[in-house]
Amino acid sequence: MAKYRGKKKIIEQVEVQGIAAEGKCIAKVDEQVIFIEKVAPGDVVDVLITRKKPNFMEGTPVHFHSFSPDRVDPFCEHFGTCGGCKWQHIPYPIQLKYKHQQVVDNLQRIAKVELPEIHPILGSSKTRHYRNKLEYTFTNWKWLTQDEIESDRAIDRRALGFHIPGRFDKILQIKNCYHQPEPSNQIRLAAEKFCKENDIQFYDLVKKTGNVRNLIIRNSVKNEWMVIVQFACEDEKNAQLLDFLKNEFPEITSLQYVINNKPNETFHDLPVEVHHGHDYIMEEMEGIQFKVGPKSFYQTNALQAYELYKVARDFAGLTGQEVVYDLYTGTGTIANFVAKKAKKVIGIEYVEAAIEDAKINSEINGIDNTLFYAGDMKDILNDAFIAAHEKPDVIITDPPRAGMHQDVVDMLLKIEARKIVYVSCNPATQARDIGLLDAKYKLSQVQPVDMFPQTHHVENVVLLELRN
């Protein structure tokens, strides 16, 4: 049955059947597919249709007739508004079930290759407080909750929090985030309070006025903490805030700041100044030290990254005699992690600063069998490069979400390395590339890994072996 709210259609009594791509749930009404936000499989809801296409519709629930027996109460008061942990209402074992199925579905529908038995998904030992990096934005015009809208009291619109999904100019004030361990929340709340009490001007994201813009908090398994504050301009009050954080939180071993007067908050092209401590924190994995600077990439779930890298190393089956190419090496975490079991490891990465970090990470660990090169993968990985550095026995590739460029896939087919270990944060593009590599490679092992509990994201590692 359907009714209307203005010009928008509401379909009543829709039973949610499962979970589809990007974490939305799926239902069918009269053979028409509906993708629905903020529900769980087993819910029965009335759905307001927000988008209609020839092959599908999208909608949002406006009334729940009954809740799924699999539902649990979300643990965060910001659930449903903040876009960070959209699966809090789904028990973790069921999250893992759907993530595992997402990998299977992509391999079946997109790769369309013969599948081996797929290993059970590796769940994260921590489902809360597992992240080692969070980024918050200051605003002078925060997003109001329903209670605040209905309140008669004056509302202070200054806040420090996360962007509302799809809105660059709207910030949700965060009281407690379950992503990162303490003192992360304490640092954020103290910084916000100090700025308010000392009249430090919060940045206006629309008018581009004000000063304090952004707060980044990073930590490591060695319990070292880095805090980076972005200001729009030089001001004597900047040092007041930084000195306060230094004195209030002795845990901070790296306190840095950026002067950023650009329209956006990215600072990879800007100098970062040290106010206190080091310009880095140290991570550790299996005895290997990794230097993490303010612009360095490091897996945000460090404990689960260790499990992921062990899978990749096991799939590579290294004996100490192999030449390994690590494509999209980033700061060389995988390259340095596998180096002790390889003859030589060559890492390639587009970001030059990341390659410098990779070289430093090899140096501080006394690893002397790695080489790193910066440049566009499709341009660097060519016949001349192979001739200069030996043909690889094993290729490990960990591309961005878009997957590998067609030219890179073609080169891998030409190189004919004995094994390709493909690590991916996007099973759909990974499946596409596996389908292309199927011309010469057999898919022999598949291991899904959950790096981000409470979200729909899933990583996947596969082993491709050269056909005889």
Side-chain angles (χ1 to χ4, degrees), residues 137-344:
T137 299
F138 289 88
T139 181
N140 65 346
W141 200 248
K142 74 173 182 178
W143 180 269
L144 296 180
T145 65
Q146 194 61 39
D147 287 345
E148 288 172 327
I149 291 172
E150 296 171 356
S151 171
D152 293 331
R153 69 183 186 277
I155 303 296
D156 185 350
R157 298 297 291 268
R158 296 172 298 173
L160 176 59
F162 292 131
H163 287 269
I164 293 289
R167 297 295 301 267
F168 86 94
D169 59 333
K170 299 297 182 184
I171 303 299
L172 176 68
Q173 187 175 35
I174 300 297
K175 296 179 181 177
N176 180 35
C177 180
Y178 290 86
H179 268 320
Q180 197 173 27
E182 295 296 357
S184 178
N185 282 299
Q186 298 168 32
I187 292 170
R188 184 193 68 257
L189 293 171
E192 179 181 1
K193 182 180 179 183
F194 184 88
C195 289
K196 288 179 177 179
E197 291 178 347
N198 291 274
D199 196 30
I200 297 176
Q201 297 299 303
F202 287 42
Y203 196 69
D204 188 307
L205 294 164
V206 176
K207 296 178 182 178
K208 312 302 180 189
T209 57
N211 191 19
V212 64
R213 298 187 61 166
N214 181 272
L215 180 74
I216 297 173
I217 304 175
R218 303 185 75 160
N219 65 297
S220 73
V221 296
K222 295 171 72 69
N223 201 31
E224 297 182 4
W225 289 82
M226 174 187 291
V227 173
I228 308 166
V229 184
Q230 280 197 44
F231 301 100
C233 60
E234 297 279 3
D235 189 283
E236 62 181 15
K237 290 186 177 181
N238 295 0
Q240 294 177 20
L241 172 60
L242 295 169
D243 285 340
F244 166 76
L245 292 173
K246 170 191 170 184
N247 296 328
E248 192 75 10
F249 298 98
E251 301 95 328
I252 298 175
T253 56
S254 174
L255 180 57
Q256 306 183 59
Y257 68 95
V258 180
I259 303 299
N260 180 5
N261 56 15
K262 300 188 305 177
N264 59 62
E265 294 173 351
T266 61
F267 64 96
H268 286 279
D269 56 341
L270 298 173
V272 183
E273 305 295 339
V274 177
H275 183 79
H276 164 70
H278 304 292
D279 62 353
Y280 61 88
I281 55 176
M282 296 300 297
E283 275 286 3
E284 184 175 357
M285 188 179 293
E286 210 172 71
I288 303 172
Q289 307 290 313
F290 294 98
K291 191 175 181 181
V292 180
K295 300 178 183 180
S296 299
F297 170 80
Y298 195 83
Q299 289 280 3
T300 50
N301 185 343
L303 293 178
Q304 194 67 346
Y306 177 44
E307 302 301 322
L308 181 80
Y309 294 164
K310 283 195 294 185
V311 171
R313 187 176 61 190
D314 289 346
F315 280 7
L318 303 177
T319 65
Q321 303 302 312
E322 294 84 4
V323 174
V324 179
Y325 282 16
D326 182 27
L327 309 186
Y328 312 94
T329 190
T331 55
T333 46
I334 292 180
N336 284 299
F337 184 73
V338 304
K340 63 184 177 182
K341 292 199 173 185
K343 174 185 174 184
K344 180 169 64 175

Side-chain angles (χ1 to χ4, degrees), residues 1 3 10-14 36 44-48 60-65:
M1 183 181 295
K3 59 184 179 181
I10 295 177
I11 303 177
E12 299 179 304
Q13 298 278 348
V14 175
I36 312 170
V44 178
V45 296
D46 295 343
V47 181
L48 175 68
T60 187
V62 292
H63 177 69
F64 285 80
H65 292 277

